[in-house]
Coordinates of all heavy atoms in Angstrom, one line a residue:
Y59 N -70.0 17.8 43.3 CA -70.9 18.2 44.4 C -71.4 17.0 45.2 O -71.4 16.9 46.4 CB -72.1 19.0 43.9 CG -71.7 20.4 43.3 CD1 -71.6 20.5 41.9 CD2 -71.3 21.4 44.1 CE1 -71.3 21.7 41.4 CE2 -70.9 22.6 43.6 CZ -70.9 22.8 42.2 OH -70.6 24.0 41.7
L60 N -71.8 16.0 44.4 CA -72.4 14.8 45.0 C -71.4 14.0 45.8 O -71.7 13.6 46.9 CB -73.1 13.9 44.0 CG -74.3 14.5 43.3 CD1 -74.8 13.6 42.2 CD2 -75.4 14.9 44.2
I61 N -70.2 13.8 45.2 CA -69.2 13.0 45.8 C -68.7 13.6 47.1 O -68.4 12.9 48.1 CB -68.1 12.7 44.8 CG1 -68.6 11.9 43.7 CG2 -66.9 12.0 45.5 CD1 -67.7 11.6 42.5
Q62 N -68.7 14.9 47.2 CA -68.2 15.6 48.4 C -69.2 15.4 49.6 O -68.8 15.5 50.7 CB -68.0 17.1 48.1 CG -66.9 17.4 47.2 CD -66.9 18.9 46.8 OE1 -67.8 19.6 47.1 NE2 -65.8 19.3 46.1
H63 N -70.5 15.3 49.3 CA -71.5 15.3 50.3 C -72.2 14.0 50.5 O -72.9 13.9 51.5 CB -72.5 16.4 50.0 CG -72.0 17.8 49.9 ND1 -71.5 18.5 50.9 CD2 -71.8 18.6 48.8 CE1 -71.1 19.6 50.6 NE2 -71.2 19.7 49.3
A64 N -72.1 13.0 49.6 CA -73.0 11.9 49.7 C -72.2 10.6 49.1 O -71.2 10.8 48.4 CB -74.2 12.1 48.9
T65 N -72.8 9.5 49.4 CA -72.3 8.3 48.7 C -73.2 8.1 47.5 O -74.4 8.0 47.6 CB -72.5 7.0 49.6 OG1 -71.8 7.2 50.8 CG2 -72.1 5.8 48.9
V66 N -72.6 8.1 46.3 CA -73.3 7.9 45.1 C -73.4 6.5 44.8 O -72.4 5.8 44.5 CB -72.6 8.7 43.9 CG1 -73.3 8.5 42.6 CG2 -72.4 10.2 44.2
K67 N -74.6 5.9 44.9 CA -74.8 4.5 44.7 C -74.8 4.1 43.2 O -74.3 3.1 42.9 CB -76.2 4.1 45.3 CG -76.2 4.3 46.9 CD -77.5 4.0 47.5 CE -77.7 2.6 47.7 NZ -78.9 2.3 48.5
S68 N -75.4 5.0 42.4 CA -75.3 4.8 40.9 C -75.7 6.1 40.2 O -76.3 7.0 40.9 CB -76.3 3.7 40.5 OG -77.7 4.1 40.7
F69 N -75.3 6.2 39.0 CA -75.7 7.3 38.2 C -75.8 7.0 36.7 O -75.1 6.0 36.3 CB -74.8 8.5 38.4 CG -73.4 8.4 37.9 CD1 -73.0 8.8 36.6 CD2 -72.4 7.8 38.7 CE1 -71.7 8.6 36.2 CE2 -71.1 7.6 38.2 CZ -70.8 8.0 36.9
T70 N -76.6 7.7 36.0 CA -76.7 7.6 34.6 C -76.5 8.9 33.9 O -77.1 9.9 34.4 CB -78.1 7.0 34.2 OG1 -78.3 5.8 34.9 CG2 -78.3 6.8 32.7
V71 N -75.8 9.0 32.8 CA -75.6 10.2 32.1 C -76.1 10.0 30.7 O -75.7 9.0 30.0 CB -74.2 10.6 32.0 CG1 -74.0 11.9 31.2 CG2 -73.6 10.7 33.4
A72 N -77.1 10.8 30.2 CA -77.7 10.6 28.9 C -78.3 11.9 28.4 O -79.1 12.5 29.2 CB -78.6 9.5 28.8
D73 N -78.1 12.4 27.2 CA -78.8 13.5 26.6 C -78.8 14.7 27.5 O -79.8 15.4 27.7 CB -80.2 13.1 26.2 CG -80.2 12.0 25.2 OD1 -79.3 11.9 24.4 OD2 -81.1 11.1 25.3
G74 N -77.7 15.1 28.2 CA -77.7 16.3 29.0 C -78.3 16.1 30.4 O -78.5 17.1 31.1
L75 N -78.7 14.9 30.7 CA -79.3 14.6 32.0 C -78.4 13.7 32.8 O -77.9 12.7 32.3 CB -80.7 14.0 31.9 CG -81.8 14.8 31.3 CD1 -83.1 14.0 31.1 CD2 -82.1 16.1 32.1
I76 N -78.3 14.0 34.1 CA -77.6 13.1 35.0 C -78.7 12.6 36.1 O -79.3 13.5 36.7 CB -76.5 13.8 35.8 CG1 -75.4 14.3 34.8 CG2 -75.8 12.8 36.8 CD1 -74.4 15.1 35.4
S77 N -78.9 11.3 36.2 CA -79.7 10.8 37.2 C -78.8 10.1 38.2 O -78.0 9.2 37.8 CB -80.7 9.8 36.6 OG -81.6 10.4 35.7
A78 N -79.0 10.4 39.5 CA -78.1 9.9 40.5 C -78.9 9.4 41.7 O -79.8 10.0 42.1 CB -77.1 11.0 41.0
Q79 N -78.5 8.2 42.2 CA -79.0 7.6 43.4 C -78.0 7.9 44.5 O -76.8 7.4 44.3 CB -79.3 6.1 43.2 CG -80.2 5.8 42.1 CD -81.7 6.1 42.5 OE1 -82.0 6.1 43.7 NE2 -82.5 6.4 41.5
I80 N -78.3 8.6 45.6 CA -77.4 8.9 46.6 C -77.9 8.4 47.9 O -79.1 8.1 48.1 CB -77.0 10.4 46.7 CG1 -78.3 11.2 47.1 CG2 -76.4 10.9 45.4 CD1 -78.0 12.7 47.3
S81 N -76.9 8.2 48.9 CA -77.3 7.7 50.2 C -76.3 8.3 51.2 O -75.3 9.0 50.8 CB -77.3 6.2 50.3 OG -76.0 5.7 50.1
G82 N -76.6 8.1 52.5 CA -75.7 8.6 53.5 C -75.8 10.1 53.8 O -74.8 10.7 54.3
V83 N -76.9 10.7 53.5 CA -77.1 12.1 53.7 C -78.4 12.4 54.5 O -79.3 11.6 54.5 CB -77.1 12.9 52.4 CG1 -75.8 12.9 51.7 CG2 -78.2 12.3 51.5
T84 N -78.5 13.5 55.1 CA -79.7 13.9 55.8 C -80.5 14.7 54.8 O -80.0 15.2 53.7 CB -79.4 14.8 57.0 OG1 -78.8 16.0 56.6 CG2 -78.6 14.0 58.0
L85 N -81.8 15.0 55.1 CA -82.6 15.9 54.2 C -82.0 17.2 54.1 O -82.0 17.9 53.0 CB -84.0 15.9 54.7 CG -84.8 14.7 54.6 CD1 -86.2 14.9 55.2 CD2 -85.0 14.3 53.1
H86 N -81.4 17.7 55.2 CA -80.7 19.0 55.1 C -79.5 19.0 54.1 O -79.3 19.9 53.4 CB -80.2 19.4 56.5 CG -79.5 20.8 56.6 ND1 -80.2 22.0 56.5 CD2 -78.2 21.1 56.6 CE1 -79.4 23.0 56.5 NE2 -78.2 22.5 56.6
Q87 N -78.8 17.9 54.1 CA -77.6 17.8 53.2 C -78.1 17.7 51.8 O -77.5 18.2 50.8 CB -76.8 16.6 53.6 CG -76.0 16.8 54.8 CD -75.3 15.6 55.3 OE1 -75.9 14.5 55.4 NE2 -74.0 15.7 55.7
V88 N -79.3 17.0 51.5 CA -79.9 16.9 50.2 C -80.2 18.3 49.7 O -80.0 18.7 48.6 CB -81.1 16.0 50.2 CG1 -81.8 16.1 48.8 CG2 -80.7 14.6 50.5
S89 N -80.8 19.1 50.6 CA -81.1 20.5 50.3 C -79.8 21.3 50.0 O -79.8 22.1 49.0 CB -81.8 21.2 51.5 OG -82.0 22.5 51.2
D90 N -78.7 21.1 50.7 CA -77.5 21.8 50.4 C -76.9 21.3 49.1 O -76.4 22.2 48.3 CB -76.4 21.4 51.5 CG -76.7 22.1 52.8 OD1 -77.6 23.1 52.9 OD2 -76.1 21.7 53.9
I91 N -77.0 20.0 48.8 CA -76.5 19.6 47.5 C -77.3 20.2 46.3 O -76.8 20.7 45.3 CB -76.7 18.0 47.4 CG1 -75.6 17.4 48.3 CG2 -76.5 17.5 46.0 CD1 -75.9 15.9 48.5
Y92 N -78.7 20.3 46.5 CA -79.5 21.0 45.5 C -79.1 22.4 45.3 O -78.9 22.8 44.2 CB -81.0 20.9 46.0 CG -81.9 21.8 45.2 CD1 -82.5 21.2 44.1 CD2 -82.2 23.1 45.6 CE1 -83.4 22.0 43.3 CE2 -83.1 23.8 44.8 CZ -83.6 23.3 43.7 OH -84.5 24.1 42.9
Q93 N -78.9 23.1 46.4 CA -78.5 24.5 46.3 C -77.1 24.7 45.6 O -76.9 25.6 44.8 CB -78.5 25.2 47.6 CG -79.9 25.4 48.2 CD -79.9 25.9 49.6 OE1 -78.9 26.5 50.1 NE2 -81.0 25.7 50.3
D94 N -76.1 23.8 45.9 CA -74.8 23.8 45.3 C -74.9 23.6 43.8 O -74.3 24.3 43.0 CB -73.9 22.8 45.9 CG -73.4 23.2 47.3 OD1 -73.6 24.4 47.7 OD2 -72.8 22.3 48.0
L95 N -75.7 22.6 43.4 CA -75.9 22.3 42.0 C -76.5 23.4 41.3 O -76.1 23.8 40.2 CB -76.7 21.0 41.9 CG -75.9 19.7 42.3 CD1 -76.9 18.5 42.3 CD2 -74.8 19.4 41.3
M96 N -77.6 24.0 41.8 CA -78.3 25.1 41.2 C -77.4 26.3 41.0 O -77.6 27.1 40.1 CB -79.6 25.4 41.9 CG -80.7 24.4 41.8 SD -81.1 24.0 40.1 CE -81.8 25.6 39.6
A97 N -76.4 26.5 41.8 CA -75.5 27.6 41.8 C -74.5 27.5 40.6 O -73.8 28.4 40.2 CB -74.7 27.8 43.1
S98 N -74.4 26.3 40.0 CA -73.4 26.0 38.9 C -74.0 26.5 37.6 O -75.1 26.4 37.3 CB -73.2 24.5 38.8 OG -72.4 24.2 37.7
D99 N -73.1 27.1 36.8 CA -73.4 27.6 35.5 C -73.8 26.4 34.5 O -74.4 26.7 33.5 CB -72.3 28.4 34.9 CG -72.1 29.7 35.6 OD1 -73.0 30.2 36.3 OD2 -71.0 30.3 35.5
L100 N -73.3 25.2 34.9 CA -73.6 24.1 34.0 C -74.9 23.5 34.2 O -75.4 22.6 33.4 CB -72.5 23.0 34.3 CG -71.1 23.4 33.9 CD1 -70.1 22.3 34.3 CD2 -70.9 23.7 32.5
V101 N -75.6 23.8 35.3 CA -76.9 23.2 35.7 C -78.1 24.1 35.4 O -78.1 25.2 35.8 CB -76.8 22.8 37.2 CG1 -78.2 22.2 37.6 CG2 -75.7 21.8 37.5
K102 N -79.0 23.5 34.6 CA -80.2 24.2 34.3 C -81.3 24.0 35.4 O -82.0 24.9 35.8 CB -80.8 23.7 33.0 CG -82.0 24.3 32.5 CD -82.4 23.8 31.1 CE -83.7 24.4 30.6 NZ -84.1 23.9 29.3
S103 N -81.4 22.7 35.9 CA -82.4 22.5 36.9 C -82.0 21.2 37.6 O -81.3 20.4 37.1 CB -83.8 22.3 36.3 OG -83.9 21.2 35.5
V104 N -82.6 21.0 38.8 CA -82.4 19.8 39.6 C -83.7 19.4 40.2 O -84.4 20.2 40.7 CB -81.4 20.1 40.8 CG1 -81.2 18.8 41.6 CG2 -80.0 20.5 40.3
Q105 N -84.0 18.1 40.1 CA -85.2 17.6 40.7 C -84.9 16.5 41.7 O -84.0 15.7 41.4 CB -86.2 17.1 39.7 CG -86.7 18.1 38.7 CD -87.7 17.5 37.7 OE1 -87.7 16.4 37.4 NE2 -88.5 18.4 37.1
V106 N -85.4 16.6 42.9 CA -85.3 15.5 43.9 C -86.6 14.7 43.8 O -87.6 15.1 44.1 CB -85.1 16.0 45.3 CG1 -85.0 14.9 46.3 CG2 -83.9 17.0 45.3
Y107 N -86.5 13.4 43.2 CA -87.6 12.6 43.0 C -88.1 11.9 44.3 O -89.3 11.8 44.6 CB -87.4 11.6 41.9 CG -87.5 12.2 40.6 CD1 -86.3 12.4 39.8 CD2 -88.7 12.7 40.0 CE1 -86.4 13.0 38.6 CE2 -88.8 13.2 38.8 CZ -87.6 13.4 38.0 OH -87.7 14.0 36.8
T108 N -87.1 11.3 45.0 CA -87.5 10.6 46.2 C -86.5 10.8 47.3 O -85.3 11.1 47.0 CB -87.6 9.1 46.0 OG1 -86.3 8.6 45.6 CG2 -88.6 8.7 44.9
A109 N -86.9 10.8 48.5 CA -86.0 10.8 49.6 C -86.7 10.0 50.7 O -87.8 10.2 51.1 CB -85.8 12.2 50.1
E110 N -86.0 8.9 51.1 CA -86.6 8.0 52.1 C -85.6 7.7 53.1 O -84.4 7.6 52.9 CB -87.1 6.7 51.4 CG -86.0 5.9 50.7 CD -86.5 4.7 49.9 OE1 -87.7 4.7 49.6 OE2 -85.7 3.8 49.7
T111 N -86.1 7.4 54.3 CA -85.2 7.1 55.4 C -84.7 5.6 55.2 O -85.5 4.8 54.9 CB -86.0 7.2 56.8 OG1 -86.4 8.5 56.9 CG2 -85.1 6.8 57.9
E112 N -83.4 5.4 55.5 CA -82.9 4.1 55.4 C -83.4 3.3 56.6 O -83.4 3.8 57.7 CB -81.4 4.1 55.4 CG -80.8 4.8 54.2 CD -79.3 4.8 54.2 OE1 -78.7 3.9 54.8 OE2 -78.7 5.7 53.5
E113 N -83.9 2.1 56.3 CA -84.6 1.3 57.4 C -83.7 1.0 58.6 O -84.2 1.1 59.7 CB -85.0 -0.1 56.8 CG -86.2 0.1 55.8 CD -86.6 -1.3 55.2 OE1 -86.4 -2.3 55.9 OE2 -87.2 -1.3 54.2
D114 N -82.5 0.8 58.4 CA -81.6 0.4 59.5 C -80.9 1.6 60.1 O -80.1 1.5 61.0 CB -80.6 -0.7 59.2 CG -79.7 -0.2 58.0 OD1 -80.0 0.8 57.3 OD2 -78.6 -0.9 57.8
K115 N -81.2 2.8 59.7 CA -80.6 4.0 60.2 C -81.5 4.8 61.2 O -82.7 4.9 60.9 CB -80.2 5.0 59.0 CG -79.3 4.4 58.0 CD -77.9 4.4 58.5 CE -76.9 3.9 57.4 NZ -75.5 3.9 57.8
T116 N -80.9 5.2 62.2 CA -81.7 6.0 63.2 C -81.1 7.4 63.3 O -81.5 8.2 64.2 CB -81.6 5.4 64.6 OG1 -80.3 5.2 65.0 CG2 -82.3 4.0 64.6
D117 N -80.1 7.8 62.4 CA -79.5 9.1 62.5 C -80.0 10.1 61.5 O -79.4 11.1 61.3 CB -78.0 8.9 62.3 CG -77.6 8.2 61.0 OD1 -78.5 7.9 60.2 OD2 -76.4 7.9 60.8
G118 N -81.2 9.8 60.9 CA -81.8 10.7 60.0 C -81.3 10.7 58.6 O -81.6 11.5 57.7
Q119 N -80.4 9.7 58.2 CA -79.9 9.6 56.9 C -80.9 9.1 55.9 O -81.8 8.2 56.3 CB -78.6 8.8 56.8 CG -77.4 9.5 57.5 CD -76.1 8.7 57.3 OE1 -76.1 7.5 56.9 NE2 -75.0 9.3 57.7
V120 N -80.9 9.5 54.7 CA -81.9 9.1 53.7 C -81.2 8.6 52.4 O -80.0 8.9 52.2 CB -82.8 10.3 53.4 CG1 -83.6 10.7 54.6 CG2 -82.1 11.4 52.7
N121 N -82.0 8.0 51.6 CA -81.6 7.7 50.2 C -82.4 8.7 49.4 O -83.5 9.0 49.7 CB -82.0 6.3 49.8 CG -81.3 5.2 50.5 OD1 -80.1 5.3 50.8 ND2 -82.0 4.2 50.9
A122 N -81.8 9.2 48.3 CA -82.5 10.2 47.4 C -82.1 9.9 46.0 O -81.1 9.4 45.7 CB -82.1 11.6 47.8
A123 N -83.0 10.3 45.1 CA -82.8 10.2 43.7 C -82.9 11.6 43.1 O -83.8 12.3 43.3 CB -83.9 9.3 43.0
L124 N -81.8 12.0 42.4 CA -81.8 13.3 41.8 C -81.7 13.2 40.3 O -81.0 12.4 39.8 CB -80.5 14.1 42.3 CG -80.3 14.2 43.8 CD1 -78.9 14.8 44.1 CD2 -81.4 15.1 44.4
T125 N -82.3 14.2 39.6 CA -82.1 14.3 38.2 C -81.6 15.7 38.0 O -82.2 16.7 38.4 CB -83.4 14.1 37.4 OG1 -83.9 12.8 37.6 CG2 -83.2 14.4 35.9
I126 N -80.4 15.8 37.3 CA -79.8 17.1 37.1 C -79.8 17.4 35.6 O -79.3 16.6 34.8 CB -78.3 17.0 37.6 CG1 -78.3 16.6 39.1 CG2 -77.6 18.3 37.4 CD1 -77.0 16.0 39.5
D127 N -80.4 18.5 35.2 CA -80.5 18.9 33.8 C -79.4 19.9 33.5 O -79.4 20.9 34.1 CB -81.9 19.5 33.5 CG -82.1 19.8 32.0 OD1 -81.2 19.5 31.2 OD2 -83.2 20.2 31.7
L128 N -78.5 19.5 32.6 CA -77.4 20.4 32.3 C -77.8 21.4 31.2 O -78.6 21.1 30.3 CB -76.2 19.5 31.8 CG -75.7 18.5 32.8 CD1 -74.6 17.7 32.2 CD2 -75.2 19.1 34.1
T129 N -77.2 22.5 31.2 CA -77.6 23.6 30.3 C -77.1 23.3 28.9 O -77.7 23.8 27.9 CB -77.0 24.9 30.7 OG1 -75.6 24.8 30.7 CG2 -77.5 25.4 32.1
G130 N -76.0 22.6 28.8 CA -75.4 22.3 27.5 C -74.5 23.4 27.0 O -73.8 23.3 26.0
D131 N -74.4 24.5 27.8 CA -73.5 25.6 27.4 C -72.0 25.2 27.4 O -71.3 25.5 26.5 CB -73.7 26.8 28.4 CG -75.0 27.4 28.2 OD1 -75.7 27.2 27.2 OD2 -75.4 28.2 29.2
K132 N -71.6 24.4 28.4 CA -70.2 24.0 28.5 C -70.1 22.5 28.6 O -69.1 22.0 29.0 CB -69.6 24.6 29.8 CG -69.7 26.1 29.8 CD -69.1 26.6 31.1 CE -69.3 28.1 31.2 NZ -68.9 28.6 32.5
T133 N -71.1 21.8 28.1 CA -71.0 20.3 28.1 C -71.0 19.8 26.7 O -71.4 20.4 25.7 CB -72.2 19.7 28.8 OG1 -73.4 20.1 28.1 CG2 -72.3 20.2 30.3
S134 N -70.5 18.6 26.5 CA -70.5 17.9 25.2 C -71.3 16.6 25.4 O -71.1 15.9 26.4 CB -69.1 17.6 24.7 OG -68.4 16.8 25.6
D135 N -72.2 16.3 24.5 CA -73.0 15.1 24.6 C -72.3 14.0 23.8 O -72.2 14.1 22.6 CB -74.4 15.4 24.1 CG -75.4 14.3 24.3 OD1 -75.0 13.3 25.0 OD2 -76.5 14.4 23.8
T136 N -71.8 13.0 24.5 CA -71.1 11.9 23.9 C -71.9 10.6 24.0 O -71.3 9.6 23.9 CB -69.7 11.8 24.5 OG1 -69.9 11.5 25.9 CG2 -68.9 13.0 24.3
G137 N -73.2 10.7 24.2 CA -73.9 9.4 24.3 C -74.4 9.3 25.7 O -74.7 10.2 26.4
S138 N -74.5 8.0 26.1 CA -75.0 7.7 27.5 C -74.1 6.7 28.1 O -73.5 5.9 27.5 CB -76.5 7.3 27.5 OG -76.6 6.1 26.7
E139 N -74.2 6.7 29.5 CA -73.4 5.8 30.2 C -74.1 5.5 31.6 O -74.6 6.5 32.1 CB -72.0 6.4 30.5 CG -71.1 5.6 31.3 CD -69.7 6.2 31.5 OE1 -69.4 7.2 30.8 OE2 -69.0 5.7 32.4
E140 N -74.0 4.3 32.1 CA -74.6 4.0 33.4 C -73.5 3.4 34.2 O -72.8 2.5 33.8 CB -75.8 3.1 33.3 CG -76.4 2.8 34.6 CD -77.7 2.0 34.5 OE1 -78.3 1.9 33.5 OE2 -78.1 1.6 35.6
V141 N -73.4 3.8 35.5 CA -72.4 3.3 36.4 C -73.1 3.0 37.7 O -73.9 3.8 38.2 CB -71.3 4.3 36.6 CG1 -70.3 3.8 37.7 CG2 -70.6 4.7 35.3
T142 N -72.8 1.8 38.2 CA -73.4 1.4 39.5 C -72.2 1.1 40.4 O -71.3 0.3 40.1 CB -74.3 0.1 39.4 OG1 -75.3 0.4 38.4 CG2 -74.9 -0.3 40.7
A143 N -72.3 1.6 41.6 CA -71.2 1.4 42.6 C -71.3 0.0 43.1 O -72.4 -0.6 43.2 CB -71.3 2.4 43.8
P144 N -70.2 -0.6 43.4 CA -70.2 -2.0 43.9 C -70.9 -2.1 45.3 O -71.0 -1.2 46.0 CB -68.7 -2.4 44.0 CG -67.9 -1.1 43.9 CD -68.9 -0.1 43.4

């Protein structure tokens, strides 16, 4: 969902939680991402912690931080991993 709609700057996966920093989206697109994620059987909840306008952008694009809580029904917990985009 995130990759289709946003630039994922970094994400962390641990204990059934995905924390993602995204950019290149409008607030409306953040709302769409939230709704898409909540419609998934794998997702228990989604929280949008921050959404801020990028300083050099005048097109309404924002940076946002999302935490996605997975239900665990169809997931396997294999530890934690952090990835940061170059």
Side-chain angles (χ1 to χ4, degrees):
Y59 296 103
L60 295 177
I61 294 172
Q62 294 173 349
H63 301 291
T65 300
V66 179
K67 295 173 87 174
S68 68
F69 68 93
T70 304
V71 180
D73 300 324
L75 292 176
I76 300 171
S77 296
Q79 300 287 331
I80 63 172
S81 66
V83 291
T84 64
L85 288 175
H86 181 74
Q87 289 170 314
V88 172
S89 176
D90 289 345
I91 291 168
Y92 171 86
Q93 291 175 19
D94 286 347
L95 288 167
M96 288 301 297
S98 171
D99 291 340
L100 297 175
V101 175
K102 181 178 180 181
S103 66
V104 178
Q105 294 180 342
V106 179
Y107 283 108
T108 60
E110 60 186 22
T111 302
E112 296 182 26
E113 289 180 25
D114 60 344
K115 299 283 185 177
T116 58
D117 56 3
Q119 290 188 348
V120 299
N121 293 321
L124 305 172
T125 298
I126 304 155
D127 186 358
L128 303 176
T129 63
D131 293 342
K132 299 178 186 173
T133 61
S134 62
D135 189 6
T136 58
S138 60
E139 179 179 348
E140 182 171 349
V141 177
T142 303

